[in-house]
Structure formats: C-alpha cells, structure tokens
Amino acid sequence: GENVEQHPSTLSVQEGDSAVIKCTYSDSASNYFPWYKQELGKRPQLIIDIRSNVGEKKDQRIAVTLNKTAKHFSLHITETQPEDSAVYFCAARKMNYGGSQGNLIFGKGTKLSVKP
Amino acid sequence: SAVISQKPSRDICQRGTSLTIQCQVDSQVTMMFWYRQQPGQSLTLIATANQGSEATYESGFVIDKFPISRPNLTFSTLTVSNMSPEDSSIYLCSVAWQDPAGELFFGEGSRLTVL
C-alpha cells in the first residue's frame, strides 16, 4: 500500500522567512496530494492541494510543487507569520479501480514554529 | 464544504467500558471515514463507514473493537469497545463527496481519555 514520508518533523523559522516541508510517496498510482494545517486543539484543515496533472500550484503565500518522476511533493510558505505556526500534514491518495475514491494516507506531520 | 458535528467532544472513561461517538453532517455525503490521532501523532484511518452495509476496516483495526454504523448519508457512529489506556486518543469523523479527487473535511474530533 501507499506510504508517505514527511520531513522535517520540526521546523523553526524567523518571521518573514520561508518554510519548506517535503514529502515522498511510494505508490506511483497516487494522483491527489493535499496539505492540511492543524492548529493546537483544532481539526485538520485543507490549505492547498495538487493533482498529478500539474506540477505546481500557488495560493497567495502558499505553494505546492509535485515531481511525479521522483514521487515527491513539497509545501512552500513564504513571508511566514506567527499565525502560520501549526502542525502541517501532507497526504496522498490514488484512485481505486472503477473511479471511486481511494483512502487518504497521511505523513507524520511537521511542527512549524514561526518566531516573531 | 460541510458542517460536521461530533459528540461527545471529550470524555474520560474507565478501563473496560465502551463509548460511542456520533458524527452528524449537515448535508448528504458520499464517503464517511473515521480517523484516530494519538497524542502528537499523525492521522490513521480506522475504517470507511459504508451506508447500509458493514464498514471497511484498515489493517490493524477490527469490527469487534471499533464497531461502526452508518444508517444514512448524514450520520455515523463509532464505538470504542472494552477500552484500555492505549485507546486514549482523538477520534475524528471525516467526510468527502464522490469526486475524482474530492476534498476531505474533518469534524472537530472527540478526545477520549481512558483511565
């Protein structure tokens, strides 16, 4: 089955710097890669996702890149702010035969701390 | 998106007892899932709740320990049976719509502590 590795497990940056979190996946059939942000005591919330037919997607200060050949994808946060501090999870999913949704497999998470 | 309500939001239980967690969605959804998040850990899929039929469990999870019901397209329950301290965790209901790659939405979670 699918296996998702996420690095680093913790990341500390100064406010205004960029942060990069990287994930690799094992199943080449995976075609959907979301990123979730989980603040302390809150539910995970989707911040950005990318499908396998594109290599990059950007939403304001957040961008995700996908390298299907190498089977890795990354989250980039620019101009970090203290409110970006949270745990970030990457995930991967593939289509099951017949077009139904496959299961979402999560990485272990990255705790991002943005210091003022 | 969807409004996903879970009850209870938290509970403290005694070893050997069982607790049922409810998940109510404000609209009909195709897919409902139950995840477990142990303290400081990632999200692990327990099972897919199938409407009108038995749930599909992931490796390491069994129906006797985690019975699941889904009587309709807006409601599901997860029971944690014969609890032990190792079951202390956050249990999250999540939903998605049938789509080639639909977004997964999470409930607020039910924080369970077993003494």
Side-chain angles (χ1 to χ4, degrees):
Chain A
E2 176 65 277
N3 182 50
V4 178
E5 299 284 341
Q6 183 172 347
H7 300 280
S9 57
T10 60
L11 180 59
S12 182
V13 300
Q14 287 295 130
E15 182 177 1
D17 288 349
S18 295
V20 181
I21 303 170
K22 298 181 179 181
C23 288
T24 61
Y25 60 99
S26 60
D27 191 337
S28 57
S30 290
N31 59 6
Y32 175 64
F33 308 93
W35 286 89
Y36 284 82
K37 175 183 180 181
Q38 187 175 32
E39 296 176 353
L40 189 63
K42 301 283 185 64
R43 77 182 84 189
Q45 292 198 302
L46 181 74
I47 55 171
I48 196 168
D49 58 12
I50 191 168
R51 288 163 172 74
S52 59
N53 58 344
V54 298
E56 183 174 1
K57 184 177 179 180
K58 189 174 182 180
D59 183 4
Q60 299 182 342
R61 295 186 297 109
I62 294 172
V64 57
T65 59
L66 172 65
N67 183 326
K68 288 189 293 182
T69 302
K71 291 190 283 188
H72 68 71
F73 56 113
S74 300
L75 177 71
H76 304 253
I77 305 174
T78 58
E79 301 173 24
T80 54
Q81 301 167 3
E83 49 266 39
D84 294 329
S85 297
V87 178
Y88 291 81
F89 293 99
C90 65
R93 181 170 68 202
K94 65 179 179 181
M95 290 294 296
N96 287 338
Y97 177 76
S100 61
Q101 290 188 344
N103 296 326
L104 204 56
I105 305 300
F106 286 84
K108 291 189 181 300
T110 296
K111 184 176 182 180
L112 174 64
S113 300
V114 181
K115 298 182 177 180
Chain B
S1 64
V3 176
I4 307 167
S5 303
Q6 277 188 243
K7 289 194 298 185
S9 58
R10 60 179 61 228
D11 207 341
I12 300 173
C13 303
Q14 296 298 317
R15 183 195 300 257
T17 63
S18 298
L19 179 75
T20 296
I21 303 167
Q22 298 180 1
C23 177
Q24 179 73 55
V25 190
D26 69 342
S27 60
Q28 293 186 345
V29 293
T30 311
M31 315 288 285
M32 293 184 78
F33 307 91
W34 286 98
Y35 280 83
R36 182 174 74 182
Q37 187 174 31
Q38 294 178 306
Q41 300 298 312
S42 186
L43 299 139
T44 301
L45 181 63
I46 297 171
T48 302
N50 300 310
Q51 192 256 331
S53 65
E54 193 170 285
T56 304
Y57 289 85
E58 296 301 300
S59 177
F61 298 96
V62 295
I63 188 171
D64 290 346
K65 176 67 176 178
F66 298 101
I68 289 170
S69 78
R70 188 180 173 191
N72 56 51
L73 293 177
T74 63
F75 185 78
S76 178
T77 66
L78 167 74
T79 299
V80 186
S81 303
N82 187 24
M83 288 183 285
S84 66
E86 293 71 37
D87 294 319
S88 297
S89 189
I90 298 172
Y91 293 85
L92 294 142
C93 173
S94 63
V95 304
W97 282 263
Q98 186 66 43
D99 180 84
E103 179 179 343
L104 192 68
F105 296 91
F106 286 91
E108 290 285 2
S110 299
R111 182 182 293 270
L112 179 62
T113 302
V114 184
L115 303 178

